Amino acid sequence: MKSDRSRRMEKTDPILSVQISVYALDGDIKPAVHTYLDALDATGIDRDTGTMATVVWGPADAVWNALRQAYETVAAKHPVIVNTTLCNAAPLPARAAGRR
């Protein structure tokens, strides 16, 4: 029998959830972040943006493609660090789950 914890954190493959933070190395934060978010939006991926990070989720192929395209777009215009945390077992963000 599965423990309570293993039931809550079932793998969601092929769905991935990714938390993303963008850091502008030249201190010009807002344009770099907006460039990244606009590029994500152009891919059609679902996202939920907070004050410190953005979460995207979806089928693995779509998520990887969106991350690549957004990174290539922002990196062509700004010196940045894009920090990502990937999970194949995270619950969907509240907006995606209809809780907000």
Side-chain angles (χ1 to χ4, degrees):
M1 175 172 230
K2 292 184 177 183
S3 69
D4 285 337
R5 181 180 168 155
S6 67
R7 270 185 265 143
R8 284 183 310 211
M9 298 301 289
E10 293 289 330
K11 285 181 63 177
T12 56
D13 288 339
I15 301 297
L16 291 180
S17 294
V18 182
Q19 179 178 290
I20 307 157
S21 297
V22 176
Y23 303 96
L25 295 176
D26 61 4
D28 208 5
I29 299 165
K30 193 178 272 189
V33 169
H34 285 281
T35 297
Y36 191 90
L37 294 176
D38 289 346
L40 276 179
D41 290 343
T43 70
I45 197 80
D46 288 322
R47 73 173 169 94
D48 192 9
T49 297
T51 57
M52 296 183 64
T54 293
V55 176
V56 299
W57 62 92
D61 288 345
V63 170
W64 284 114
N65 185 48
L67 294 174
R68 181 184 52 78
Q69 287 184 34
Y71 175 77
E72 288 175 354
T73 299
V74 73
K77 297 178 180 179
H78 303 278
V80 293
I81 294 171
V82 178
N83 188 29
T84 59
T85 304
L86 292 90
C87 183
N88 68 347
L92 289 176
R95 183 175 70 80
R99 295 187 312 262
R100 170 166 78 145

